[in-house]
Amino acid sequence: MSDKSAFPFGVAPGKKRHAPATDRNRDAITALLKDNLPRRGTILEIASGTGQHISHFASVFPALGWQPSDAEADALESISTWAAESGQDNIRTPLLLDVCDPEWPIESADGILCINMIHIAPWAACEGLFAGAAGILPKGGLLYLYGPYIEDGVSTAESNLAFDASLKSRNLAWGLRKVSDVEALAGQHGFALTQKTAMPANNLSLVFRKR
């Protein structure tokens, strides 16, 4: 799924990156995670990007071990910098992890977070995400997705339609995914959609559990 242009929206290359959207959505995501994360264990974040989210979550949920990862080697330094500056000792060394690889560099996790990834990647990345998650999560394990989606029978916000067009102009394999398509794919890999929550700025939180 790796694409050098996939680190696109206001985030420049460099040692420490900053994505303004993370500052805007992290509190809403945190509130939802409080009802869904396990009390103990390891949480793997897919596509950690700048490292802002996982550094924040590690401070809010200190009893959990947090494993960042990204498919872009250039992102790992930013993740490490944010983690170091957070002062949290429950953030592990970031992994180079491409969900499309059949073998992930982690044997098990108690939960997985994937925020704002599957629309800025080909559909194969979504397929790889569920296939890989099925291999490392326990029964009942959490797979949490966040981002903009298209819902059957629900009008899509104009801003999301414009975003979808922008993504496809960059790469025809990118674009907002239909919730129904993601749910069908999840079912093929033994996951059930147990919660769908509207979030600020026309985003959704999707909570899947491994059956």
Side-chain angles (χ1 to χ4, degrees):
M1 61 162 261
S2 178
D3 187 315
K4 289 295 182 185
S5 63
F7 217 90
F9 304 107
V11 184
K15 184 175 180 180
K16 182 181 179 183
R17 298 166 167 178
H18 178 261
T22 302
D23 296 330
R24 296 192 295 268
N25 63 35
R26 69 180 194 178
D27 291 337
I29 293 173
T30 298
L32 188 138
L33 291 178
K34 286 180 178 178
D35 295 326
N36 285 284
L37 288 173
R39 296 180 63 184
R40 302 281 179 179
T42 297
I43 306 301
L44 168 66
E45 183 182 34
I46 298 293
S48 295
T50 64
Q52 291 167 257
H53 271 134
I54 202 162
S55 296
H56 174 71
F57 298 149
S59 68
V60 178
F61 305 102
L64 292 167
W66 291 88
Q67 178 60 70
S69 74
D70 205 276
E72 294 290 342
D74 291 346
L76 302 189
E77 189 173 10
S78 179
I79 297 166
S80 295
T81 301
W82 277 97
E85 291 182 359
S86 75
Q88 300 299 315
D89 61 4
N90 57 334
I91 305 175
R92 299 174 182 173
T93 301
L95 298 173
L96 186 64
L97 190 161
D98 188 323
V99 293
C100 292
D101 291 340
E103 297 292 333
W104 287 10
I106 180 172
E107 293 184 358
S108 64
D110 299 285
I112 296 176
L113 311 183
C114 185
I115 298 170
N116 284 329
M117 188 274 280
I118 66 170
H119 55 282
I120 314 179
W123 180 246
C126 193
E127 295 174 326
L129 173 64
F130 279 99
I136 68 170
L137 286 176
K139 183 177 180 180
L142 166 73
L143 174 53
Y144 170 78
L145 304 185
Y146 171 93
Y149 291 88
I150 296 173
E151 296 183 83
D152 293 334
V154 177
S155 296
T156 304
E158 289 296 328
S159 59
N160 280 358
L161 291 175
F163 184 41
D164 183 55
S166 174
L167 290 171
K168 290 174 178 174
S169 72
R170 297 167 62 86
N171 188 325
L172 287 175
W174 296 359
L176 273 60
R177 308 304 177 187
K178 294 179 66 174
V179 173
S180 57
D181 290 341
V182 177
E183 185 175 7
L185 176 64
Q188 295 171 21
H189 292 281
F191 287 87
L193 178 61
T194 59
Q195 183 179 340
K196 180 177 67 175
T197 303
M199 304 292 280
N202 301 309
N203 290 295
L204 290 176
S205 282
L206 304 180
V207 173
F208 294 91
R209 296 284 179 181
K210 185 178 175 182
R211 294 194 292 252

